[in-house]
Amino acid sequence: MPELPEVETIKRGLDKQIINKRISKVSIEKSFIKKVGPSANAFKKALEGKTIKNVARRSKLLMFEINKEQSLIVHLKMTGQLVYRPKNNKIVVGGHPIAGPQNLPSKFTRVTIQFADKTTLFFNDVRKFGFLKIVDRKELNEALSKYGREPIDKDFNFPHFKSLIDKSPRKKVKSFLLEQKIIAGLGNIYADESLFVAKVNPERRVDSLTKSEQKLLFVAIVEIIKKAIKYKGTTFSDYVNAKGGKGNFQKHLQVYGRNKLECLRCKKGIITKIKLGSRSASFCPICQK
Ligand SMILES: [Zn+2]
């Protein structure tokens, strides 16, 4: 599943392409009708003839502003993909490369948004966990209220991080980092990497962190997310960034995906993957105390 840096990369790729374009026609594939909201007809009516004013992102949610009152929100979930096809066929892809964009629409195309200038935005999704929904301002604010500040927000500073720690003393630190209401946009990859950099064991309780560990972890989170955005995210087999290319952060991963391999830092520990609630955590048992 794409995390914050990957969705940010998709957003940056798309907003250059689709802002100020008028939507001429919207089609929804039959099996996906229940995944668009509020209803298929209302969805089409809200978009056709309208112009996309702005593209924004909060955590992994993409938001396309239609007007002051209405926005289209899109979540890619596990296998969603947004593909923009300009007139010259130079494609812009964001998400999971499940269909050759030259052959779109494909059997996985769930929603097709055609623009008046003959360019097209396709939403493809193999497993259909993703969704597209028209929301009014109140619903948008409700959706956004589920997210805390992001590590790249200007007001995500150490006093703020400390206040989050003080509010959740009993949580395990890895679960604490993953909770979107506390910190938005940290997923499994970047939480594991941050804990490795800060040398903190993912199973520690939040209230056991010393002041210097708190500071190390705060700095690690911010740096890891910024670096991942700079490298356009992490590419595994099922993800490409908004330019149709691959992200490069996987070359910088130190612990995620390195289960049973030797620790790159201490050269003594073997990276261990454990179950932690419904998620997993990878860490070095020697140098992450
Ligand atoms: Zn180690």
Side-chain angles (χ1 to χ4, degrees):
M1 188 193 289
E3 296 189 16
L4 186 158
E6 292 79 39
V7 182
E8 176 65 18
T9 304
I10 292 167
K11 186 232 143 201
R12 290 180 186 183
L14 280 180
D15 66 1
K16 290 189 195 90
Q17 306 288 342
I18 63 173
I19 285 181
N20 292 326
K21 293 214 165 152
R22 197 170 66 83
I23 297 167
S24 55
K25 192 172 187 305
V26 174
S27 6
I28 305 156
E29 190 253 329
K30 255 190 201 156
S31 73
F32 202 70
I33 279 177
K34 287 197 170 140
K35 301 305 294 285
V36 302
S39 69
N41 281 341
F43 183 83
K44 284 187 194 178
K45 205 178 156 198
L47 292 175
E48 287 177 350
K50 306 286 174 37
T51 301
I52 292 177
K53 302 273 194 260
N54 190 33
V55 183
R57 177 199 58 75
R58 191 74 198 164
S59 189
K60 293 176 258 183
L61 194 68
L62 284 163
M63 299 169 277
F64 302 87
E65 188 189 317
I66 311 297
N67 54 45
K68 289 262 174 292
E69 280 306 313
Q70 283 187 312
S71 294
L72 162 66
I73 59 174
V74 177
H75 204 303
L76 303 175
K77 294 284 181 177
M78 298 299 287
T79 56
Q81 178 196 46
L82 280 168
V83 181
Y84 176 75
R85 188 174 65 194
K87 271 182 288 190
N88 63 10
N89 257 340
K90 269 198 186 158
I91 51 117
V92 173
V93 185
H96 310 264
I98 53 181
Q102 60 280 18
N103 300 320
L104 288 170
S106 75
K107 64 175 175 174
F108 300 120
T109 299
R110 309 302 175 190
V111 177
T112 305
I113 298 176
Q114 283 177 284
F115 296 100
D117 67 354
K118 308 277 186 231
T119 63
T120 314
L121 183 65
F122 298 95
F123 178 81
N124 306 323
D125 194 351
V126 175
R127 296 178 68 183
K128 296 188 272 191
F129 290 135
F131 64 81
L132 295 86
K133 198 175 168 194
I134 303 293
V135 292
D136 62 24
R137 207 192 310 189
K138 187 167 161 259
E139 290 166 318
L140 182 64
N141 288 336
E142 266 170 31
L144 295 179
S145 71
K146 291 180 188 143
Y147 299 110
R149 290 182 200 172
E150 296 185 351
I152 51 169
D153 286 345
K154 281 199 185 75
D155 52 4
F156 190 89
N157 47 30
F158 184 71
H160 173 68
F161 185 64
K162 179 81 173 73
S163 76
L164 300 174
I165 283 176
D166 293 342
K167 271 183 235 162
S168 303
R170 289 187 182 84
K171 282 190 191 298
K172 288 188 173 160
V173 64
K174 172 73 186 277
S175 312
F176 166 80
L177 294 180
L178 288 179
E179 202 163 306
Q180 299 299 300
K181 177 111 190 171
I182 299 177
I183 301 170
L186 270 183
N188 230 11
I189 301 174
Y190 303 111
D192 278 356
E193 292 297 313
S194 301
L195 287 165
F196 180 82
V197 169
K199 299 185 181 176
V200 171
N201 184 303
E203 292 196 282
R204 289 265 301 276
R205 259 175 60 151
V206 166
D207 60 0
S208 75
L209 298 177
T210 64
K211 186 96 181 179
S212 77
E213 284 172 331
Q214 294 172 1
K215 286 211 161 130
L216 282 170
L217 186 56
F218 166 73
V219 171
I221 291 166
V222 175
E223 282 185 355
I224 292 279
I225 288 288
K226 283 189 177 161
K227 193 173 165 189
I229 291 173
K230 187 179 150 206
Y231 288 100
K232 304 191 191 314
T234 302
T235 299
F236 292 107
S237 58
D238 61 349
Y239 169 80
V240 291
N241 68 39
K243 292 273 160 58
K246 296 194 162 199
N248 279 311
F249 193 74
Q250 65 277 12
K251 292 173 195 154
H252 301 271
L253 292 175
Q254 299 191 80
V255 67
Y256 184 88
R258 297 197 70 252
N259 189 28
K260 295 183 181 158
L261 297 175
E262 184 187 86
C263 172
L264 293 170
R265 180 168 49 206
C266 69
K267 317 273 187 205
K268 290 186 196 118
I270 299 296
I271 303 302
T272 304
K273 191 173 174 181
I274 55 163
K275 274 222 139 206
L276 219 160
S278 61
R279 309 295 292 270
S280 68
S282 298
F283 68 105
C284 171
I286 305 279
C287 62
Q288 284 178 259
K289 301 289 183 201

